[in-house]
Every structure is written in C-alpha cells, then in structure tokens.
C-alpha cells in the first residue's frame, strides 16, 4: 500500500503560478519559470515521448517521482487546461482521477493514461486512486486549491516542494487559507542544484 | 568591504510571525516555533551570555552568521519590541541602525551594542551601517517590511532563509507586495537538520 503525497514546484516566495493566472494562462505570467528546471532532464524528455536530456541529480529526483506514482488526483480546472495542452499520449501513464461536479465517461489516452471523473469529492477520488495505484503512491497533483483541500483533510502524508530560485512577486500561492491546520512537518532529504532546491517533509498531526 | 544580506527564519508556508502579531506579541501566536531551532545551540547560548549548548551543523550556521555580521539595520517596530525584551547586554554586540521618524540620541548597551537612530531612510541606514561594519557584512535584520523595502531597493546581495518545518497557516508573510521586483536568485549552499532547512541565495538583477 502506497502513501498519498504532494509534489509541487513553487517560487521561493511561495507561488505555484505567476500573476494573471486564468484559463488559457494557467501558470500566469512568468509562472513557467518555476518549472523550467525539469525541461532539460532525460526523464522529462522520456515521459514526453522524446530522447536525450540530462542525467543528473535533478533528473534522479524527477525519475523517482515518475516511478513511485501509481495514480493521480487532480482538480477539474487543472484537467481542463491539460485537456487542451497535453499531447495525445498524456504524460501521466497511469490512472488520473479528476474532481468534478459533472459526470463524464472515462477518457482513455495512449500510453496508459485514463482520466476518470469523480463526482463524490476528494475522499472518493483518493480511495479510488489508492485502489488503482497498484501498491504505488498516489499524487495529489493540483491545482493549489486541491492540494490545500487534501492538507486540510489530513490526507497528505508527504509534502515535496521544489523551490525555484525566483521571486515571482505575485500570483497564486500554494500555502494560503490553512489557518488552524496544525500540521507538524518532519524534514526529509534536501537536495539542491543551481536550478532548484528539492525539499521533502513527512506530515504529522 | 562586506555585503548587505538578509538572514531570517520563516515557516514552510512563508510566515515570519504567526497570527495575531502585534506590539507585545511580535512573533504572533506560535510564531516562536519558527525560531526554536536556535535555542539549543552553543552559539545562541554564548551570544546571550550563557554557556553550554549543542555544537552541530545548525550551530555552525548560526555561528557563521554572528561572526560575519558587522552592523545591523532594523525597523523601528522591531527595535521597540526589543527595547523591552532584550537583556541589558543586547545580543547584537555591534552597531545597530534603527530606521525611525523620531530623532533620538544613540543608546549604548553593555557588550558592544549601540543603537543609532536614523531618520534619513534606508539608504542612509545602509550607508552608515556599511561604514560601521569594519569590513564585515551588514544585516537587514527586519521586520519583514524593512526586508521587503531593502529587496525592492535592490540593496540585498544575499538572502538566507531558515525554513522551519511548520505550516503556521496564517500570520505575517515575508514575501508579499513584491510585484515587479524581478530579482533572479542564484542558489548557494543548502543545509538541513531535523529542526530547520537553511537556504542561501545570491540576489541578481
């Protein structure tokens, strides 16, 4: 049985997306800069159907992430953006459970990704993702509001944050409206490169 | 000639103080928890006139901080809190330049701390601190608003953040209202213990 975890990139000032994030510009202005560290990496190329790329410590972090993740839970807005942007061979290659209010038939993509639409809320999505993960871990993929919902529900057992060396100055915060959460974190391994600092925490209550 | 730097503790969710921070409760509810990592350390004991304490990697980080800092710049509200709370032998042991609108004679404390009150703004405080630092570095000590003012002015050359493994959920943010800052950070050494993760960045423009 795997665990439920969060694995997300933020700027040093805590933003998952830059200013003016909206449908069609989901990461906001300059928001892609928080995620640039992944683009040169071999595991990123592979996952997107390419070859080549760097094999370094950042790549090992990303590769481990892909390897451990047996199923995904994501919000409907994140899915809506991706439905347009992801290639036919969507980069998850695993079951993805989309939180939505509107029922829809599962949507099967090449390469192993199936989007299943869950109308029963976060608990149901996590339960079904756990069953589908085949003993691997379940990622609460985002957006930020879904991550916060999972944190508030006490469902997140591990919190990985990839801190990009940027001050975006404004945008969409990851950590907001978590008053009274009372989570205690236990630091795990830290790893840094010139492009990004990987932090990992176990969440205790 | 030293550099101007920031060195400040935050929770993982970016707060320098918890909720309900106000005069008399400057770190807010539970806000001291972000700074607990320092308390057991030998260099912290020494700086506060005591003996004993742990000599470990966290202690080395704190010791280096004390050793490198030749002068301090701080806001008037931070000083007001400290004027009541700090012992007669104030823990700076160096010149401290306090940003204020009200002129006041320098206030000399035992142990090498002199508080000088600067009415000419941040630029003047940084210039005088630089002259007084004896070739060492100048710390922009806080509060958060003074740190942001220095960041916006482009005066900060190094930004050290000690991330406590906590989600305070609410409180006083360090990084706020920095829209348009456009600072690019260059990651330096990272160090982690079970109590705190030390991040260090060079600030480029």
């Amino acid at each position: 049985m795997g665990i439920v975890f969060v694995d997300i990139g933020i700027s040093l000032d805590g933003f998952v997306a830059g200013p003016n994030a909206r449908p069609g510009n989901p990461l906001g202005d300059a928001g892609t800069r928080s995620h640039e560290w992944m683009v040169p990496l071999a595991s990123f190329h592979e996952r997107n159907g390419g070859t080549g790329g760097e094999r370094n410590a950042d790549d090992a972090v990303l590769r481990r992430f892909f390897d451990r993740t047996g199923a995904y839970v994501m919000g409907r807005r994140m899915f809506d953006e991706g439905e347009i942007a992801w290639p036919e061979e969507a980069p998850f290659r695993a079951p993805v459970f989309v939180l939505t209010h509107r029922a829809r038939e599962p949507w099967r993509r090449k390469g192993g990704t199936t989007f299943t639409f869950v109308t029963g809320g976060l608990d149901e999505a996590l339960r079904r993702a756990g069953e589908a993960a085949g003993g691997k871990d379940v990622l609460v993929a985002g957006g930020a509001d879904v991550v916060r919902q999972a944190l508030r529900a006490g469902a997140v057992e591990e919190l990985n944050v990839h801190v990009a060396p940027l001050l975006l100055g404004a945008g969409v915060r990851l950590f907001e409206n978590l008053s009274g959460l009372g989570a205690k974190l236990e630091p795990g391994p830290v790893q840094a490169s010139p492009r990004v600092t990987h932090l990992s925490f176990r969440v205790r209550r």
Side-chain angles (χ1 to χ4, degrees), chain A residues 48-117:
Chain A
N48 289 282
T51 56
E54 298 175 11
R55 293 178 184 278
N56 52 24
D58 288 337
D59 183 55
V61 169
L62 188 60
R63 191 172 300 272
R64 175 162 183 272
F65 163 76
F66 285 133
D67 288 347
R68 70 183 287 194
T69 306
Y72 295 74
V73 170
M74 74 174 57
R76 200 261 312 157
R77 277 176 292 185
M78 184 172 171
F79 169 77
D80 283 351
E81 293 299 328
E83 187 172 12
I84 302 160
W86 292 317
E88 197 186 342
E89 199 159 325
F92 303 98
R93 306 182 184 231
V96 179
F97 294 84
V98 181
L99 290 164
T100 179
H101 294 292
R102 199 185 307 181
R104 174 174 162 178
E105 288 299 301
W107 188 41
R108 206 170 299 273
R109 307 295 280 155
K110 275 191 190 167
T113 303
T114 299
F115 295 99
T116 299
F117 300 88

Side-chain angles (χ1 to χ4, degrees), chain A residues 28-181:
Chain A
D29 303 342
T32 55
R33 290 174 61 202
S34 297
H35 307 279
E36 271 172 2
W37 66 273
M38 285 189 283
V39 177
L41 305 178
S43 52
F44 185 82
H45 288 211
E46 284 165 32
R47 185 47 74 114
N48 289 282
T51 56
E54 298 175 11
R55 293 178 184 278
N56 52 24
D58 288 337
D59 183 55
V61 169
L62 188 60
R63 191 172 300 272
R64 175 162 183 272
F65 163 76
F66 285 133
D67 288 347
R68 70 183 287 194
T69 306
Y72 295 74
V73 170
M74 74 174 57
R76 200 261 312 157
R77 277 176 292 185
M78 184 172 171
F79 169 77
D80 283 351
E81 293 299 328
E83 187 172 12
I84 302 160
W86 292 317
E88 197 186 342
E89 199 159 325
F92 303 98
R93 306 182 184 231
V96 179
F97 294 84
V98 181
L99 290 164
T100 179
H101 294 292
R102 199 185 307 181
R104 174 174 162 178
E105 288 299 301
W107 188 41
R108 206 170 299 273
R109 307 295 280 155
K110 275 191 190 167
T113 303
T114 299
F115 295 99
T116 299
F117 300 88
V118 175
T119 55
L122 180 68
D123 283 356
E124 185 195 333
L126 288 171
R127 184 179 52 72
R128 294 178 65 180
E131 289 162 6
K136 291 189 175 186
D137 297 326
V138 171
L139 176 75
V140 179
D145 53 339
V146 174
V147 169
R148 291 193 295 261
Q149 195 185 333
L151 284 168
R152 280 194 298 263
V156 178
E157 294 166 82
E158 186 183 309
L159 173 57
N160 299 331
V161 182
H162 309 282
V163 181
L166 289 172
L167 296 176
L168 285 176
V172 179
R173 288 195 186 277
L174 176 58
F175 297 115
E176 203 162 42
N177 304 322
L178 290 173
S179 192
L181 179 67

Side-chain angles (χ1 to χ4, degrees), chain A residues 2-13:
Chain A
I3 66 165
V4 173
F5 75 114
V6 165
D7 194 291
I8 198 160
I10 60 173
S11 60
L12 179 64
D13 47 356

